[in-house]
Amino acid sequence: LWDGSTWTQAAPATVPPARVAHSMAYDAQRGRLVMFGGIAAGGGLLGDTWEWDGVDWLQQTPATSPAARRSHPMAYLPSRGKVVIWGGFATSDLNDMWEWDGVTWSPILTANSPAPRRASDMAWDPSTGGLLLFSGYQQTNDTWLFNGTNWVQQTPATSPAARYDHSLVSDPVRSRVVMFGGPGVADT
């Protein structure tokens, strides 16, 4: 745990199974971190939901849940007050969308959606209030905005190079989204 100046090893009573290619997002409305999916340490996709309450990990048992997946973006959307998952990879690339309310996952159905993909990233855009999604594995450098009800492809005058396994993060102080990385890409 990082407190602003020091890392401290937590000692929770319960710990999720080891994993990679999972996603986590902070649920600001409920004050908990939410984690979903990934690849188990021994292999195989995970479809479990865990919450960190600041002291312990709590496994959730929702009645409805997205399919097990990896390499999926997850972000909190303030206008809906929920954590949102989009896409990723199961047996093929996905473009479904789900929201977590602390009890269950519910699908979000939209008229438009980006093409199925994995290893993209998504962040809350403070300038529009929506979720911004960029590129992904074997994708073009496309930019999409989820406005709370639908996906709308954006057409910026300039755009970064296509990439995957990059990171996007909200910068509410400067009212922007910051992106960095991806294999072979070291730009911001």
Side-chain angles (χ1 to χ4, degrees):
L1 306 172
W2 177 253
D3 68 4
S5 63
T6 306
W7 283 103
T8 304
Q9 177 71 48
T14 307
V15 179
R19 66 191 65 212
V20 297
H22 57 288
S23 288
M24 297 191 304
Y26 182 72
D27 183 334
Q29 182 162 322
R30 299 178 47 254
R32 292 179 178 227
L33 186 138
V34 180
M35 177 173 67
F36 182 82
I39 303 170
L45 293 178
L46 296 167
D48 52 351
T49 302
W50 291 81
E51 290 188 344
W52 171 255
D53 66 5
V55 176
D56 205 2
W57 284 103
L58 310 163
Q59 185 168 17
Q60 304 301 302
T61 54
T64 307
S65 190
R69 66 190 63 209
R70 67 171 173 92
S71 307
H72 51 285
M74 177 189 271
Y76 178 74
L77 182 55
S79 64
R80 293 178 78 102
K82 298 187 175 115
V83 168
V84 175
I85 285 176
W86 184 87
F89 183 84
T91 56
S92 62
D93 287 338
L94 303 167
N95 70 341
D96 57 344
M97 192 170 196
W98 294 79
E99 64 185 357
W100 173 249
D101 65 7
V103 177
T104 196
W105 288 99
S106 301
I108 301 173
L109 304 176
T110 61
N112 301 307
S113 183
R117 66 189 71 191
R118 67 189 117 157
S120 58
D121 206 5
M122 178 173 73
W124 175 67
D125 179 1
S127 68
T128 64
L131 293 177
L132 192 73
L133 176 83
F134 183 77
S135 200
Y137 185 68
Q138 297 181 334
Q139 297 296 317
T140 63
N141 62 339
D142 57 345
T143 301
W144 289 80
L145 181 73
F146 177 68
N147 62 19
T149 57
N150 201 12
W151 284 102
V152 179
Q153 187 166 12
Q154 305 298 290
T155 53
T158 59
S159 189
R163 63 191 69 203
Y164 63 96
D165 286 338
H166 53 287
S167 292
L168 291 178
V169 68
S170 301
D171 180 351
V173 172
R174 293 169 193 81
S175 194
R176 60 184 62 167
V177 172
V178 178
M179 176 173 60
F180 184 83
V185 181
D187 59 9
T188 304

